[in-house]
């Protein structure tokens, strides 16, 4: 009995990520997304009025899916936000917290530092897992970004534990 109760959250998490990948743009609907994934972790709207449903699988999960839908509820795109390609779009000195939030979804963790804020997302970089960290200044502008590998989980790299992102 305790074994099945312990595996239920894992099964729900795996079903959620698989469910997002089974949605077909231009054919699936938000109703189908809700049936497969449950309630989104956030709902917002883009500038053209399209609905954006975010499914963050944190704080320990490594996926955040964004489902974009037209006004009629038809899914137009399903995007995994926590990828190196997305991380590379972040420009220190130019982007704000709002820009990063739109690009990556909600962070897994937030830390308040003496000179600003730090947001972290848990990521799967195949093979290692790790953390993508964005540091903001007191005006909420990106100062820098870095990927930190979980060395305890097989993270093996030549970057001394992280892959830098550059400052201003």
């Amino acid at each position: 009995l305790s074994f099945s109760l312990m595996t239920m959250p894992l099964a729900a998490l795996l079903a959620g990520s698989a469910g997002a990948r089974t949605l077909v743009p231009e054919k699936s609907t938000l109703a189908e997304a809700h049936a497969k994934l449950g309630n989104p972790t956030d709902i917002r709207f883009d500038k053209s009025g399209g609905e954006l449903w975010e499914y963050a699988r944190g704080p320990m999960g490594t996926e955040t899916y964004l489902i974009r839908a037209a006004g009629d509820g038809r899914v137009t795109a399903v995007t995994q936000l926590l990828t190196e390609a997305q991380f590379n779009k972040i420009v220190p000195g130019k982007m704000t917290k709002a820009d990063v939030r739109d690009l990556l979804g909600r962070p897994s963790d937030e830390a308040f530092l003496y000179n600003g804020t730090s947001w972290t997302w848990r990521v799967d970089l195949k093979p290692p897992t790790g953390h993508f960290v964005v540091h903001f200044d007191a005006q909420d502008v990106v100062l820098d970004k870095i990927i930190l590998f979980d060395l305890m989980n097989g993270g093996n790299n030549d970057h001394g534990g992280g892959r830098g992102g550059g400052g201003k």
Side-chain angles (χ1 to χ4, degrees):
L1 179 66
S2 63
F3 175 75
S4 63
L5 290 176
M6 289 174 48
T7 59
M8 284 176 55
L10 177 60
L13 178 66
L14 294 174
S17 62
R21 289 187 293 252
T22 64
L23 296 172
V24 180
E26 304 303 329
K27 291 186 179 180
S28 297
T29 65
L30 286 177
E32 290 175 58
H34 189 266
K36 290 180 180 185
L37 302 168
N39 291 331
T41 51
D42 189 34
I43 296 176
R44 55 188 186 274
F45 297 88
D46 64 17
K47 294 174 185 167
S48 64
E51 208 163 333
L52 307 173
W53 285 19
E54 180 180 302
Y55 287 90
R57 299 299 182 210
M60 295 309 292
T62 59
E63 297 178 328
T64 295
Y65 283 93
L66 184 70
I67 298 171
R68 186 176 299 273
D72 63 0
R74 183 179 28 87
V75 172
T76 58
V78 179
T79 307
Q80 171 21 350
L81 299 179
L82 302 181
T83 65
E84 278 196 77
Q86 290 289 96
F87 306 152
N88 290 334
K89 293 177 184 177
I90 296 173
V91 181
K94 297 198 184 290
M95 296 181 80
T96 66
K97 275 186 176 180
D99 298 326
V100 173
R101 175 69 173 81
D102 286 345
L103 194 62
L104 300 180
R106 77 169 191 201
S108 300
D109 191 35
E110 182 174 35
F112 299 95
L113 310 169
Y114 70 94
N115 62 343
T117 306
S118 176
W119 283 359
T120 304
W121 293 261
R122 187 158 170 71
V123 295
D124 183 2
L125 301 169
K126 308 212 187 313
T129 56
H131 303 271
F132 182 70
V133 181
V134 178
H135 183 216
F136 302 94
D137 65 17
Q139 288 73 43
D140 293 339
V141 174
V142 174
L143 280 174
D144 55 36
K145 59 185 180 173
I146 189 168
I147 295 174
L148 302 171
F149 295 99
D150 286 342
L151 297 179
M152 299 299 288
N153 290 329
N156 185 9
N157 63 75
D158 299 326
H159 305 287
R163 193 163 22 203
K168 291 184 183 178

